[in-house]
Amino acid sequence: DAGVIQSPRHEVTEMGQEVTLRCKPISGHDYLFWYRQTMMRGLELLIYFNNNVPIDDSGMPEDRFSAKMPNASFSTLKIQPSEPRDSAVYFCASNSDRGSETQYFGPGTRLLVL
Amino acid sequence: QKEVEQNSGPLSVPEGAIASLNCTYSDRGSQSFFWYRQYSGKSPELIMFIYSNGDKEDGRFTAQLNKASQYVSLLIRDSQPSDSATYLCAQGPGGTSYGKLTFGQGTILTVHP
């Protein structure tokens, strides 16, 4: 299996621009998670889906952030408009409820908003 | 209030020594606990998970869980420079919910030759 796939790996954009991050979970996994990691705040859960349905979005910082999962193999995290404080590494992770609660992380998208 | 607290680092140990990483948690309902390792610039990867009180060993790694004290630790025996990384403790959800992990801030470990 190819593991969790994220794109792009790096993104540099200017304040006010729309940013879309993409994730393909491991095939067969029922859960998909979006995290943000910064030095100050550590690894924070933003939102997670079960069977393509958002379960908990309490970690989404504000209305500028939105996430979708139109099918079992694809999810997006969108920031519109982006701000410099959104600069972070964004990880996608997935797991299956047929095993342990182990989450498998993608390589991350390093976002810099200028 | 943070739900998962890790001992402040960074932690530095000599090669061959035992590294001890500690974590406390506040949710008594949690049934599962995880240790992830994250190398600089990389994504977290699972080292071990533990569900039951006591010790769980995997090679040079031992996870210890004490639910009464709400404490979980990770011991790394015969530490190697390649163990230098940030170690993240995470607790699983309590009750019947599934999937959501809460991570600590991480402890940076440096193993020096």
Side-chain angles (χ1 to χ4, degrees):
Chain A
D1 199 311
V4 177
I5 299 172
Q6 291 187 246
S7 65
R9 296 291 304 275
H10 298 88
E11 178 81 27
V12 181
T13 191
E14 293 186 345
M15 184 174 63
Q17 296 299 305
E18 178 179 294
V19 175
T20 299
L21 311 180
R22 297 173 176 80
C23 175
K24 175 179 169 57
I26 292 172
S27 178
H29 279 190
D30 311 287
Y31 286 80
L32 183 141
F33 305 82
W34 281 102
Y35 290 91
R36 176 174 68 178
Q37 186 174 42
T38 61
M39 288 294 292
M40 289 298 294
R41 301 177 66 88
L43 191 61
E44 302 175 280
L45 177 65
L46 300 177
I47 184 171
Y48 76 98
F49 296 82
N50 176 218
N51 292 322
N52 314 336
V53 177
I55 303 300
D56 184 345
D57 65 353
S58 60
M60 296 286 263
E62 48 198 273
D63 292 345
R64 297 184 297 106
F65 286 69
S66 63
K68 294 181 180 179
M69 192 166 185
N71 58 61
S73 59
F74 184 66
S75 177
T76 60
L77 177 68
K78 187 174 294 186
I79 308 172
Q80 166 63 20
S82 58
E83 296 183 3
R85 59 192 168 125
D86 302 330
S87 298
V89 181
Y90 291 80
F91 289 107
C92 177
S94 70
N95 74 355
S96 168
D97 64 3
R98 290 177 292 279
S100 74
E101 290 165 289
T102 303
Q103 294 183 15
Y104 298 88
F105 283 76
T109 296
R110 193 170 297 270
L111 173 66
L112 177 62
V113 183
L114 302 174
Chain B
Q1 179 184 2
K2 282 195 174 297
E3 297 180 15
V4 178
E5 294 275 2
Q6 295 189 236
N7 54 330
S8 58
L11 178 65
S12 180
V13 300
E15 184 174 356
I18 295 175
S20 177
L21 304 162
N22 304 312
C23 177
T24 58
Y25 60 92
S26 60
D27 184 357
R28 286 191 171 274
S30 285
Q31 300 297 316
S32 54
F33 302 88
F34 302 80
W35 283 101
Y36 281 79
R37 176 178 61 199
Q38 186 175 23
Y39 291 114
S40 180
K42 302 295 185 181
S43 56
E45 56 180 342
L46 181 74
I47 300 175
M48 293 184 71
F49 59 84
I50 185 168
Y51 293 141
S52 303
N53 272 329
D55 295 358
K56 180 181 179 182
E57 187 174 317
D58 184 1
R60 296 186 296 109
F61 299 92
T62 299
Q64 299 174 318
L65 175 60
N66 184 324
K67 291 187 178 181
S69 301
Q70 297 176 250
Y71 177 94
V72 59
S73 65
L74 180 70
L75 301 178
I76 306 174
R77 292 183 300 281
D78 187 25
S79 297
Q80 302 297 309
S82 59
D83 295 326
S84 299
T86 298
Y87 289 80
L88 300 166
C89 171
Q91 68 176 59
T96 58
S97 60
Y98 183 91
K100 179 177 178 179
L101 298 184
T102 302
F103 285 85
Q105 282 286 89
T107 299
I108 298 173
L109 172 66
T110 301
V111 181
H112 52 87

